[in-house]
Amino acid sequence: MFCVLTPCKNKIYSQSKHADLHKKEHLYFSKDEIKKNKPTTYNYINTFTLNKEKFLNIYFALDVPLIKSLQKIAPHLTEDELLEKGNFQFSFLVDGKIIYVENLNKGAGLKTSKTVQLDHTIRLVAPEKLDYWGWFMWLKFMKLGGGQDVLSTGNHLLTIEVRPYIQEESIKIGSLLAKGSINIDVAKIKIDERLVPIQKIQPNSGWEISTDAIDTQKIEALNRKIAEGRFENINGLVVIKDGKLLLEEYFNGESRNSLHDPRSVGKSIASSMLGIAIDDGFIDNEEMTLKDFYDLKSYTNYSSKKDSVTLKSLLTMSSGFNGDDSDYSSLGNEENMYPTDDWVKFTLDLPMKKEANIGKQFAYFTAGVVVLGDIIHKSVPNGLVSYADNKLFKPLGITHYQWEYTPQHVGNTAGGIRLRALDFAKYGQLYKNKGLWNNRQILNRNWVEKSLGKQIKQTIDKGHYGYLFWNKTYKINHKEYEVSYCSGNGGNKIFIFKDIPLVVVITASAYNNPNAHTNADKIIKEYILPAIVEKR
């Protein structure tokens, strides 16, 4: 048995007056501020206006605590093992189609909520961020799971189903515990309609202007999504086709002259400078090791493995140090580095992983790129910043930029060097040109190919990694578009497409937003490529 609440615009059910609502497998919705109301006074609803009403909660009552349902799935496990490996599973369906499934991790909910509690009230929507797993679950459904795409303007039926699950070698799902539906009225978001039309490219861009056709409707649909906040904190969009400026747009207060913080996009510039330093003979090659530049025995946690760490392994995030930015418990996580007064010492003091296979195992390691920057700084005339200005930025005609610095006042290659969006596009086009700019070979062609190539399989999105460049393939209408790209926190990207004459820059400031990179992918797959390459 389950309950689907039939849409009825104004009908509200009071829990205190309708005890018969508490039946097996029933799940109900309310839009109360539950911090102010007691559970016995909740008003149950069957309609909710998204983007307008402030609160949305769900309520369901179980016959037995969750732990009993988990025991039915895996009777061979102890209670502690069940709590370690199992929890609630929530399925979100829109108009009858499963859109997102969330298997709650072990930290979601107190132990008593799984072993004793029968009545469950879960907050999903609130006007301000909640430090609560239900709020984060809704955010993932909407932002990462596709909820905001299917819940387009108009009316929809949202259904939520609750089951128990256990994750062992495979996932085991138990019987339905609760299910309910609500009519969602998605209100149209009011925007300034002047933000929708394609922005005219202003004079003096420094680029020849492309006259190629573009699907105007697609780009205006993208602009509307940016204005609505569907794609959050997008600041700039630049498209170069066949070496000419095709699209240049700015949002959220930025302009052509804005210096934008691209975070880890700046790591790729460290790769460029190392390649130039090798080409100039200041560094022999990327097979040189850390012991060629540092007395490694003077640092803590010395092991002979450190003698084998190559510059190439730092370029490919495979050095074997105990450092992984995707693991907050990792000793070498970048957040542990920044508060120290010597980032290079922090890095070289780190132990090596016992199972380290240098050059073979990917782990995103910002601290290693700081060491690369320090090596370049020590090896080239007048240091990294001056060398980069003379050998990279001036030849590209880039004069308006800003470095961040390490505590030792070395240019920070961890990321954060600020450029204009148009100048990030120059940098991307340089790689598209195989290192050539205005008939001058700024980067060695072979170095460009190695940098953009598939040096190692990476674990972040199952793609590949080059020399501080990422690799992936977009699939659209049964066609594949391979791309190498720079990537930074907040959704910052420089895309260099392999087989089509396209460079795309996205500048964004959705820093630490879990859907920032997903948004950039959607912009490319659903708007940019269809508007420019797949256009009818």
Side-chain angles (χ1 to χ4, degrees), residues 170-452:
S170 61
I171 190 168
K172 299 177 182 178
I173 311 299
S175 301
L176 184 70
L177 298 177
K179 177 176 180 177
S181 297
I182 187 170
N183 188 59
I184 299 287
D185 182 18
V186 183
K188 184 177 181 179
I189 300 174
K190 293 182 179 180
I191 64 167
D192 183 346
E193 293 293 332
R194 294 174 297 179
L195 301 175
V196 174
I198 294 178
Q199 298 171 26
K200 183 179 179 181
I201 296 175
Q202 299 302 309
N204 304 315
S205 67
W207 293 83
E208 183 179 348
I209 307 302
S210 175
T211 57
D212 281 7
I214 191 170
D215 186 336
T216 301
Q217 290 184 342
K218 273 287 181 186
I219 300 303
E220 290 186 347
L222 170 60
N223 289 352
R224 182 174 294 278
K225 293 290 187 183
I226 293 171
E228 290 174 346
R230 163 62 185 85
F231 296 122
E232 297 163 291
N233 302 114
I234 303 298
N235 301 120
L237 178 63
V238 173
V239 177
I240 308 298
K241 185 179 181 186
D242 289 312
K244 301 176 183 179
L245 180 58
L246 179 64
L247 192 66
E248 182 192 11
E249 301 197 301
Y250 301 99
F251 311 93
N252 295 313
E254 290 206 1
S255 66
R256 174 181 285 177
N257 292 321
S258 297
L259 290 178
H260 186 81
D261 179 1
R263 303 295 172 93
S264 289
V265 164
K267 287 183 170 69
S268 301
I269 292 175
S271 172
S272 306
M273 297 320 303
L274 181 61
I276 293 172
I278 290 172
D279 211 39
D280 284 348
F282 296 116
I283 295 173
D284 291 344
N285 53 59
E286 68 266 38
E287 300 297 340
M288 293 187 75
T289 60
L290 287 180
K291 64 183 175 63
D292 296 321
F293 301 94
Y294 301 100
D295 177 10
L296 296 177
K297 293 181 179 179
S298 68
Y299 295 90
T300 57
N301 294 306
Y302 170 76
S303 75
S304 59
K305 280 187 177 181
K306 285 187 181 179
D307 294 336
S308 301
V309 174
T310 62
L311 304 188
K312 181 177 179 179
S313 71
L314 294 173
L315 287 167
T316 57
M317 301 286 185
S318 58
S319 62
F321 275 96
N322 189 354
D324 186 348
D325 294 343
S326 62
D327 178 3
Y328 285 104
S329 66
S330 171
L331 288 175
N333 185 288
E334 63 177 319
E335 298 303 327
N336 296 328
M337 175 186 72
Y338 294 127
T340 69
D341 57 10
D342 189 331
W343 296 354
V344 173
K345 184 178 186 304
F346 166 87
T347 308
L348 298 180
D349 278 344
L350 289 170
M352 298 290 287
K353 295 176 183 175
K354 292 181 180 180
E355 71 283 5
N357 191 353
I358 297 171
K360 302 295 183 182
Q361 296 166 313
F362 178 91
Y364 195 74
F365 184 45
T366 292
V369 187
V370 170
V371 171
L372 276 178
D374 188 64
I375 288 170
I376 299 167
H377 181 75
K378 294 175 183 296
S379 302
V380 300
N382 301 314
L384 169 63
V385 170
S386 175
Y387 190 67
D389 186 60
N390 290 321
K391 305 293 289 191
L392 179 65
F393 295 133
K394 281 182 179 176
L396 289 175
I398 298 174
T399 58
H400 185 43
Y401 65 93
Q402 184 178 46
W403 278 92
E404 290 183 353
Y405 291 88
T406 72
Q408 277 60 53
H409 206 68
V410 175
N412 178 17
T413 49
I417 182 169
R418 291 165 166 82
L419 276 72
R420 304 182 310 153
L422 279 178
D423 291 332
F424 284 124
K426 287 182 178 180
Y427 179 74
Q429 189 64 39
L430 174 67
Y431 276 82
K432 183 66 179 170
N433 295 345
K434 307 297 184 184
L436 191 68
W437 188 265
N438 289 339
N439 297 315
R440 175 178 175 180
Q441 197 72 38
I442 296 175
L443 292 171
N444 183 289
R445 183 184 181 96
N446 186 48
W447 184 262
V448 170
E449 291 176 353
K450 288 192 288 187
S451 298
L452 301 186

Side-chain angles (χ1 to χ4, degrees), residues 15 19-28 44 58-66 69 88 116-122 162 176-179:
Q15 177 177 333
D20 60 325
L21 290 176
H22 296 266
K23 296 180 180 178
K24 185 180 180 182
E25 299 179 5
H26 284 34
L27 180 147
Y28 307 100
Y44 293 119
I58 57 174
Y59 169 86
F60 58 92
L62 303 177
D63 288 342
V64 296
L66 172 64
S69 298
F88 286 115
V116 178
Q117 190 172 325
L118 296 178
D119 290 358
H120 294 267
T121 301
I122 298 160
V162 186
L176 184 70
L177 298 177
K179 177 176 180 177

